[in-house]
Amino acid sequence: MKNQLLKFNSSYLHQAASVVGSKERQGPLGEKFDSFSEDDRFGQDTWEKAETEMVKRTVEALIQKSEIEWDDIDAFAGGDLLDQCIATSHAMNNNGVPYLGLYGACSTAAEGLIIGSLLAEKGFTVGTVASSHFCSAERQYRFPLEYGSQRTPTAQNTVTGCGSFLLNSKKSDVRVKEAIIGRIQDNGISDANNMGAAMATAAIDTILRYFKKTGRTEKDFDIIATGDLGQEGLELGKEYAKSLGLILGSNYVDCGMLIYDLKTQEVGAGGSGCGCSASVFAAEIYPKIKNGEYKNALLIGTGALLSPKSIIQNKIIPSVAHLVCFERV
Amino acid sequence: MSRELYKFCLFVQIISAEWGDFLNRQEYIEFAESRAKRTTSLKNCIWAFVVGGFICVIGQLLVYAYMNVVKEEKTAYSLTSVTLVFLSGLLTGIGRFDKLASRAGAGTLVPITGFANAVASPAIEAKSEGYIKGVAAQMFVIAGPVIVYGSASSVIYGIIYYISMKIAGQI
């Protein structure tokens, strides 16, 4: 029972929407996001409200793009990085849609897609959302924004971004084929400035479990995208996989490296946060599956499950990685 | 342990069982740390030396300037500290200090400017929780330990100073 593969027959990813901040807009994928805010406060007076506003805008964009009404959605599942997921729950306030709150750290987007696919299988029309905001995350996990500190090169930059997806059982171009729920692992890393290293083994574990279970190999996929391992985690993961007999080639990418230009944007090892894989998948990968450029794609949402308290207490970082397999119908 | 041996161990782990359960954590940490990118110490040192030195030069110039006005050394030094704290607070408020400090490191941290920034930055940010539960309550979140242990050690220093002076017959 340890290695259960979730198989879906009638779950389709119908639409995706993304909203980002100014830094992400300046990145290599800038033009592809549905909208962005030049002002990282999104016109609000606190960072928490700014993130809530970003979630609201993303969900509105999703509904508009899908050409449906709020009443057509049977359930919404989503989350963010803030304590008790307040950004998402405040954004969902009073919209009348049944809501499931999710916390999977940076793996929330993939977790949402799995839950969404399960509900879609039951005939639900489900929306999922995952968001993170650099400023609110920085406040919660690190130092005040204006505090003068130096970052280590392995540290990652929390993405100001939000991605939202609509799943249902109506046949469309992108089918959610399979999924593997990740298991929580720790590899001994307790350095919050090296989350890529903490999550790399969890990602490889999930990929290996998936290949073992399905008999497929990395060559069967046009793209294998991890959530936010960053440069450090990606390289470490590759080396690690190699030592386990799995050679990951050029079809293996990381959303945290796609969203920024690592050379010019001063983002350390790359992007991180729930919004990283959510916005990159919504703006870059999903459209390419839809237009047929990718026939088979894997999204591996990686999450470092740490809290501000656990960092101070120097606890080891438990990590998780959920895998979702998409197929162009 | 050599890299090859490490890989072999991993290989044994994967074929013998689900590898995650048998991952050698210590080995992995060492492996990850050995390949992690590091900050360039020399570059950091030069930045810290130049910026830290520059702040000290400004301080010294301020001392001379104040000496001309107040004619008293002690007051001139106090006014210099106050001015540097003000400037640091101002730069923090307009969002420039963190940009300089991200390069200068200890150059901005060690002089009194670092302390001012450590108090001003959480205060600015906590405004969203109001003046009592936010600004006042969170102002010393970073500087608090420095104040607590700084005061405590100065008390201990005072006691030792007092006793040794007593023994030496100075008081």
Side-chain angles (χ1 to χ4, degrees), chain A residues 23-136:
Chain A
K23 196 167 193 170
E24 292 67 27
R25 164 76 178 180
Q26 288 156 15
L29 305 179
E31 301 285 318
K32 295 179 179 176
F33 300 109
D34 291 317
S35 76
F36 75 104
S37 173
E38 198 57 64
D39 158 34
D40 279 342
R41 281 193 184 264
F42 286 77
Q44 305 297 314
D45 56 355
T46 71
W47 297 118
E48 289 73 19
K49 279 190 201 165
E51 190 170 347
T52 299
E53 177 64 23
M54 182 172 66
V55 177
K56 273 187 187 166
R57 287 187 196 182
T58 317
V59 175
E60 290 294 344
L62 179 81
I63 287 173
Q64 212 175 20
K65 279 175 90 177
S66 315
E67 293 170 348
I68 55 165
E69 300 288 324
W70 271 108
D71 287 347
D72 299 328
I73 299 177
D74 298 311
F76 231 102
D80 52 85
L81 286 179
L82 301 185
D83 282 335
Q84 287 78 39
C85 295
I86 49 161
T88 315
S89 44
H90 282 218
M92 291 292 148
N93 191 11
N94 282 333
N95 64 11
V97 174
Y99 166 69
L100 284 168
L102 301 178
Y103 186 80
C106 319
S107 69
T108 306
E111 188 179 352
L113 285 166
I114 295 177
I115 306 270
S117 304
L118 284 167
L119 290 171
E121 195 84 351
K122 294 272 172 207
F124 277 50
T125 299
V126 197
T128 76
V129 66
S131 88
S132 58
H133 192 298
F134 176 79
C135 302
S136 58

Side-chain angles (χ1 to χ4, degrees), chain B residues 79-117:
Chain B
L79 283 170
T80 302
S81 298
V82 170
T83 312
L84 285 175
V85 165
F86 170 76
L87 287 174
S88 175
L90 184 72
L91 285 175
T92 305
I94 59 171
R96 288 286 172 270
F97 191 93
D98 59 322
K99 304 218 165 37
L100 177 67
S102 69
R103 299 204 183 279
T108 47
L109 179 78
V110 175
I112 201 165
T113 47
F115 193 75
N117 169 251

Side-chain angles (χ1 to χ4, degrees), chain B residues 23-35:
Chain B
L23 174 72
N24 187 331
R25 288 169 177 76
Q26 198 50 46
E27 299 288 346
Y28 182 77
I29 296 170
E30 281 167 20
F31 179 54
E33 277 172 3
S34 70
R35 63 173 309 291

